[in-house]
Amino acid sequence: SNSFCTLLEPTVMFGRRVKVTRDGATAAPGGIVRDDIGCGISTCDVCTQHTGVSGPLAADRVVVPDTEALLTFIDVLESPDITNVLILSTVLSAVARQHKGVASRVQRLVGDAKRRFYVFPNDRFRSTSVEKGPHESDLDFEFRTQRTAMSWLRSHNASPAGATFELAVVREDVCDRFQASGCGAAKFSDVITSIIGDTHPLVDRLSSCALPSRAGTGGNSEYWPSDHIQSAIAAGGVLRGKLRTSEGSCFFGEIRGQFGAYGERVMLPGRSAVNRAVHDDIVAVLVDDVSQWRAPNSSASRPATAGEAIKQGFTATGRVVGVLEKVRRPYCGSIDVETAEEVSTLSGAQSVLFRPKSSRIPRIRISTQQTASLRTKRLRVVIDDWPVNSAFPRGHYIDVLGDIGDKDTEAQVILLENDIPHYDFSEAVYDCLPKGTWRVEASEVAKRRDLRDIAVASVDPLGCRDIDDALHFRELANGNVEVGVHIADVSHFVHEGTPIDQEAQKRSTSVYLVDRRINMLPQLLTENLCSIVADEDRYAFSALWEFSPNFDIVNEWFGKSIIRSRAALYYGDAQRMIEDVEDNTEVTRSLRGLMRLSRILKARRDEAGALTLGSQEFKFKIDNDHVNPTDMVQYQTFETNSMVEEWMLFANVAAARQIYKAFPSHALLRRHQAPADRACDDLNAALAARHLPLLDVSSSKSLNESLNRCMSVDDPFINKLVRILTTRCLKQAQYFCSGDLSFEEFMHFGLAMPIYTHFTSPIRRYADVIVHRQLAAITGAGDLFSIERTSTEDVASIAANINYRHEMAQKAGRDSQNLFTGFFLRKYAENDIPVEDGYVVRTSDAFVFVLVPSLGQEGRVPVETVSQAYKPLDKVRVKLSLIREGDVLSAKLGFRILEQEVEQPEKRSRGE
C-alpha cells in the first residue's frame, strides 16, 4: 500500500521485495535500494511493466512540495481543488520528525484515490538514493536528495507526453538555491495560484509567502546548525526541553526537567531568550553563566558554582538556540483592532496582526484582502515561519469560525483551543449500539444478581440526565445493615476494541460547558440505555457492603446486577425528604440510613487528614431564549452532596483494593502526590505578614489542621481565600499504572487515602470503564485473558491520555465560566459595572494580580497605575470594565484598583 508507515521499513511499497545479492540490489545506509520502483505516473508504460502496478498520478502538472511547504500549507493541499501531488519519501520523513500530525494528514491524502497523491520512495530507489556525507549538514543533505530525485523524475518523463514535475518551495532563498544548481523550482504560492487562479478563496491562505519581513529583530538571533546542537546536547552544554511560556507573556518562558547541576527548571526571561520559539515547541537551550541566574531575592549573594546556586534557591536562566520540534496547531483569535484600523483605507492585500486567544502565543502577521469583513470574526491561523529579522511570526488563516461574541462561535473557540474532540459520532460508533426498542434480556438477567426489589435511588444535581450512580441502605434481619452503590454498566455496551470503545478512549471524558455538554459516549447511552432513570430496569455494576452495628465491614461484594431505581432525586429534594419528620417512605428511610453512615465515613476521613480546599463555581440563569445569562450565583450545596460524595469515595477505594490485589502490575489507579517542601513558601510569607498561622505541608493532616487555624477576625473570607490559594500550591491528581510505582507512591494526598481509583462515573470517564473491565475479569463477568495480557505500558499509555484529556476538559470548563461572566456583564452600560471587593493573590515586578470573588474573575493591574505597594491577601476595591472590541472573553475584562488605604494586617487571629 502507498502508506507512510511502510516508508519507514527497509523494503518499501510499490513492487516486489528485492533480494540483496553481490550482483543485484545494494544495501543503503537506511536499508535496501531497489530498481523496481515506479515514478507514479499512471500512463508511464516503463514503470508499469517494470513494477506491475500503475501509479495514481496523471501525466500533467505534478506538484512536488518541499518539507516546509508540507508543514506550512497542509491545509491548502487538503483542498479538493489541489490534486496530482508527488511527495518525496525523504521529505515526508522530515515532516514526520517535526510534526507527526501533519504526516498523518498527508497519509490520509495518499490513501484517498480521488486526490491522486503519491509518495515516491526516493531514498529506496537506486537511481535517486543518496548517502549522507560525513560532514554534510542536514539541510545540505535534504537539498541534495531533492535535487537528485527531481533530476531523475524530469529526465524519466522527458517525452512530450510526459508529466511536468514542479518543485514548490516556500522560501525565496531556497528557490534561488535550486535555480542556481540547475534544478528548477518555484514559490509554492506561485505554483498553487497558477493552478487555482488568483480569485480563488485559497489565495488568502497563501499570502503569507509574500509577506515582507518587518525591520527590527527584537533581539532575535540565528539558530545554531542542527549538527552543532545535537553535539552540544550530547556533551551536556545544551539542554532539550518543552517550552512553556507564561500565561501573562509569550516572551517569558521556561523548560522543566531533570537537568543535573542546573536543577529542574531553566527560565527564559524575555524576547531574546525565547528567540522565536512558541509555546509547546521542543527547544534547545543554552544555559547562561551562573552570574546571570535569577536570584531568590535582592539580598542574595552571587554563588561561584551552579551547585551552590541551586542550593541557595537561584534559578538557572538561558536562551533558545534552536527549535528541535515545532509543536504548533491552528490558533483561534481575531485580527488586532489597532492594526486593522491602520490599513482600513488601503486596497488590495493588507498586512495585519492576528491576536491569538491564548496570551501564551505571540501575535501573528497575516496578509488578507478581506480585513474589513474579517475584523469582527473569529479566525483560525497557523504559523508559517518566523524570520530572524521579524518581530512577529508570519502565518495565514485557515478558517473563519463566526462572529466575535456569538455564543456558538465562542463555544467552538473554547473547544478548539483546548483540543476537545467535538465532532459528531461516526456511523461505525452508532453501529455498536442496540437497534430498535431496547429492553433487558432474560439471558442477561440470569447472569446477574437481581436487586430490583431494593429501594434504590439516585441523588444528583438539578437537571442531570446522565445518571450513572444510585444508592441504597437497608436493615438486615441479623441486626446488621447493607449499603449498595450501583453504577451504570457501561462496559456491557462498550466492548473492548470496538469503534465506540476507541472513540471513548480518544475522548476519555465528557466535557461540561455552561450551556452544553460534549459527551464521551453517544446520547443513546448516556441519557437512555445506561442512565439510571426512575422506574426502568437497568444493568448495573454494584458494590454491596454488610456493616455490623459498630460499622465494621462484615461482607463485601462486587458484581454485575440489574436494578430498578425508585426515584431520581435532586440534592435539594433528597435533603428535604430526610429532614421531613413525617416522611417515612422506604426511599426516605434509605436516605436517612445513608446519611447517618456517611457522617461516620466523613469523620474518619477528616481524622485521617483529608483536605477541605476552596473553589469557586457559579451557576448562570439563562433567559427564555436560552441565549443570554440574566444572573450568576454560586452553587448551592446541601449535606446530601456530602452524603453522595462519601459513598462514591468509599466505593472507589474498595474498587482500587480489588483491582490492585488481582492485577498488581497493571491496575489503573489514581494518586495525588504530596506537595514539594517549599510549595507554599510564598503563601506562608503572605500569611506571616498578616500574623496568621503558617501552613504545614508535611502531611495532609497537618495541612488541614493549619488551614483550619487560618481564621481572620475581621474578614471571614480570608479562610476560603487561603484554601483557594493552597489548591494552586498543590500538584494535580493523576491516573497511573500500578506497575510503574511502588505502593508507597500510590498515596492520594488530598483524600488521605493509601490507594484510590475511579469506578463510579463510567458514563463520563473512560478511566472508570477500564476499572469496570478489570473488576469484571475478577468476578468472572469479563474477559480475564484480555486483562491479564494487558501490559504495564498499555495501561500507562491509556492513563497518560486520560490525564491530558481531563486537564483540557477542566480548562474548557473554566473558559466557559469566564465567557458567560463576560456575557453577563454585557447587561451593564459602558463602565457601569458595580465596584466589587477584591483580594490581591500575587504580585510581580509588572503587575498586581487580584481576585474578585463575587464574579470568580482574576485579572492583573499594571503596577504603574497604583501608588501603593500591595501584598498578597490585601483586600482592595476593584473597578471592572468590559473592553468592547467585540470580545467578551475574560481576558478582555479590565481591572483597576480604586486607591484607598490598604487594610493593615491584624494583630491577632483565631486558633493560634
Side-chain angles (χ1 to χ4, degrees), residues 324-364:
L324 304 176
E325 185 177 347
K326 295 177 181 177
V327 187
R328 300 173 186 178
R329 56 177 175 82
Y331 302 109
C332 299
S334 54
I335 291 176
D336 188 281
V337 172
E338 292 181 2
T339 60
E341 290 176 350
E342 290 174 5
V343 301
S344 60
T345 60
L346 303 178
S347 60
Q350 297 123 26
S351 174
V352 294
L353 286 174
F354 165 85
R355 186 183 295 276
K357 174 181 180 292
S358 172
S359 57
R360 294 181 186 271
I361 308 301
R363 288 184 292 172
I364 304 166

Side-chain angles (χ1 to χ4, degrees), residues 110 114 445 626 790 862:
V110 172
K114 296 179 181 178
V445 173
H626 304 286
T790 302

Side-chain angles (χ1 to χ4, degrees), residues 359-373:
S359 57
R360 294 181 186 271
I361 308 301
R363 288 184 292 172
I364 304 166
R365 189 166 293 283
I366 66 173
S367 178
T368 177
Q369 301 180 34
Q370 306 172 52
T371 303
S373 61

Side-chain angles (χ1 to χ4, degrees), residues 889-908:
L889 299 182
S890 63
K892 294 298 183 182
L893 281 178
F895 289 74
R896 181 165 60 91
I897 294 177
L898 299 183
E899 295 283 34
Q900 58 183 16
E901 185 177 349
V902 180
E903 294 184 7
Q904 296 299 313
E906 54 196 53
K907 302 301 182 184
R908 57 195 175 87

Side-chain angles (χ1 to χ4, degrees), residues 48 56 98 344 442 444 587 614 664 729 731 750 764 779 808 828 849:
T48 302
Q98 296 183 56
S344 60
E444 186 64 29
V587 169
C729 300
K731 299 177 181 179
R764 61 183 179 89
T779 62
M808 292 298 101
Y828 294 103
F849 295 84

